[in-house]
Amino acid sequence: MTRPADTHAHAPARPIRLYRFALSGHCHRVELMLRLLDLPYETVDVDLGSGEHKQPPYLAINPFGQVPAIDDDGVVLADSNAILVYLANRYDATHAWLPQDAVAAAHVQRWLSVAAGDLAFGAAAARVAVVFNRDVDTTAMIERGVLLLTRLEAHLSGPKATAFVTADTPTIADIALYTYLAHAPEGNVSLQPYPAVRAWLARIEAMPRFVPMAPTACGLNALAA
C-alpha cells in the first residue's frame, strides 16, 4: 500500500497553485493527490459565497467558473478528474496511480466516470444541499447515493475484490471517489451498512501524507454529535 518516497518523473519548477474552496470535495481530491505525490503546492482560496468564482479574474483561469483549478508553471487546468489525470501522468514515474496498460487504465476511467456521475449527483449533491442549507428535496440524491454504496460494497467484498477499487494498490480512481463518500453522512447517507466500503476508506486514510477534509456537523454527523 505504501509508495516510494520519490516517484516523481520530475519535480515542479515552482509550487503548483491550487485554486480551491475548503468545503469542496472536488478541491479536496486534488489537494489529496498533491499530498500523496509529495508535490509542493500553494492554495488560493476562492470565495464562492461572494461569487468570486464568477468574476472576470477567476473566469480567466476557469471560464466555467468552478473550483478547483491549478496553475502548474503556466499549465492551467480545471476539472478535478482531469487534474488527477494530469498529476498522475506528469509526476508519477511508476505509473501506478494511472496505469498505462489498456485494461487497467479503462477500469480507472470507469470509476472516474462514476465519480463524475452517480457520486456527483447522488451523495455529493445531497451533502451540498445539507451543508449549504439549500431548499431542495434530497430524496432522489440519497437514493442514488445508497445505490452507489450498495454497488461499491459488492465490488469491494466480492470474490474478485482487491484492496482498492481497481487493484491492490491505489489509483486516481480511489482518490476521485474518496472524499464525497467519506463525507456522505453529512448529506444523510449512512456508511454503517457498508463494512467493505468503510474498510476501503480506512485504507486510504492510512496512506502516508494523507490529509483529510474538515468535517461539518450536519446531516447524520449532527445526530451523532
Side-chain angles (χ1 to χ4, degrees):
M1 275 198 316
T2 59
R3 295 186 179 278
D6 183 8
T7 61
H8 296 172
H10 53 84
R14 53 179 57 86
I16 296 170
R17 182 170 295 176
L18 169 62
Y19 296 88
R20 68 168 192 176
F21 179 67
L23 292 179
S24 165
H26 289 81
C27 295
H28 177 260
R29 65 175 63 147
V30 172
E31 185 161 7
L32 178 56
M33 191 77 252
L34 290 166
R35 288 289 294 268
L36 293 174
L37 287 172
D38 198 22
L39 296 172
Y41 71 96
E42 59 187 26
T43 58
V44 179
D45 289 314
V46 181
D47 187 352
L48 302 192
S50 70
E52 183 181 358
H53 57 309
K54 301 298 184 182
Q55 299 304 311
Y58 187 74
L59 292 174
I61 297 165
N62 181 7
F64 285 85
Q66 298 170 334
V67 289
I70 64 166
D71 183 343
D72 182 13
D73 195 28
V75 177
V76 178
L77 293 171
D79 183 86
S80 59
N81 285 351
I83 294 170
L84 294 182
V85 169
Y86 167 79
L87 293 174
N89 275 326
R90 183 155 190 176
Y91 292 113
D92 175 23
T94 70
H95 303 294
W97 286 105
L98 181 56
Q100 292 187 313
D101 172 76
V103 175
H107 284 306
V108 170
Q109 180 57 59
R110 177 207 179 193
W111 288 101
L112 292 180
S113 296
V114 171
D118 289 342
L119 178 58
F121 295 102
R127 174 187 172 272
V128 168
V130 175
V131 169
F132 297 102
N133 197 28
R134 295 183 177 172
D135 186 17
V136 296
D137 184 353
T138 61
T139 302
M141 302 171 191
I142 292 172
E143 290 174 352
R144 195 165 185 170
V146 168
L147 180 58
L148 173 56
L149 283 165
T150 301
R151 289 170 171 165
L152 184 58
E153 178 73 15
H155 175 74
L156 291 169
S157 60
K160 296 182 179 180
T162 52
F164 295 90
V165 294
T166 69
D168 282 323
T169 56
T171 68
I172 61 171
D174 298 278
I175 306 310
L177 293 167
Y178 169 79
T179 307
Y180 283 121
L181 289 179
H183 289 258
E186 296 171 17
N188 292 309
V189 179
S190 176
L191 295 173
Q192 288 308 307
Y194 312 106
V197 171
R198 288 186 280 109
W200 163 73
L201 293 171
R203 285 191 286 275
I204 295 174
E205 291 161 0
M207 294 180 65
R209 297 186 294 272
F210 171 84
V211 58
M213 183 172 74
T216 55
C218 60
L220 298 179
N221 282 3
L223 296 176

